[in-house]
Amino acid sequence: MSQSNEWQRIIRGIILSISLAIAVFTIVLFLASIIQSLVIVPTNNWAYSAITLLSAVSYFIGVTQLLYIIPLIIVFWRQRRFALMKGVIIGAVIVALVNFGCFLFVMNQLSR
């Protein structure tokens, strides 16, 4: 494999990982807005726990990405697509670091 071809596959893996994180975040926000738009009697605990769960997933997207990144890495490893696997790992680390930075920013703003 040529050096430029490997870099292209690494970049594709990074883009894939970041795109999946954006897709998961969008789906979670869409589901949360649907649940909140339902007319729910305050005694229904399932609705509040569902909103809490969806909020946690969107808030900790760096941690929940492990649910889809690890199987993706295993598939790429079995297919011997190591450059794409490296890109997915790099993209997952980038998403986790951005999430952690945003988490620290929000916590700093809330503590004032």
Side-chain angles (χ1 to χ4, degrees), residues 10-58:
I10 289 174
I11 297 297
R12 281 189 207 151
I14 293 171
I15 292 171
L16 174 67
S17 180
I18 293 172
S19 299
L20 285 172
I22 291 170
V24 167
F25 187 72
T26 305
I27 291 169
V28 165
L29 287 180
F30 179 70
L31 290 175
S33 67
I34 287 175
I35 289 176
Q36 286 180 343
S37 68
L38 296 174
V39 178
I40 299 172
V41 180
T43 59
N44 289 340
N45 291 332
W46 70 269
Y48 295 114
S49 61
I51 291 173
T52 304
L53 178 65
L54 290 174
S55 299
V57 167
S58 65

Side-chain angles (χ1 to χ4, degrees), residues 59 101-112:
Y59 197 63
C102 292
F103 175 77
L104 288 178
F105 177 75
V106 168
M107 285 308 192
N108 186 23
Q109 295 299 318
L110 291 177
S111 67
R112 291 184 181 188

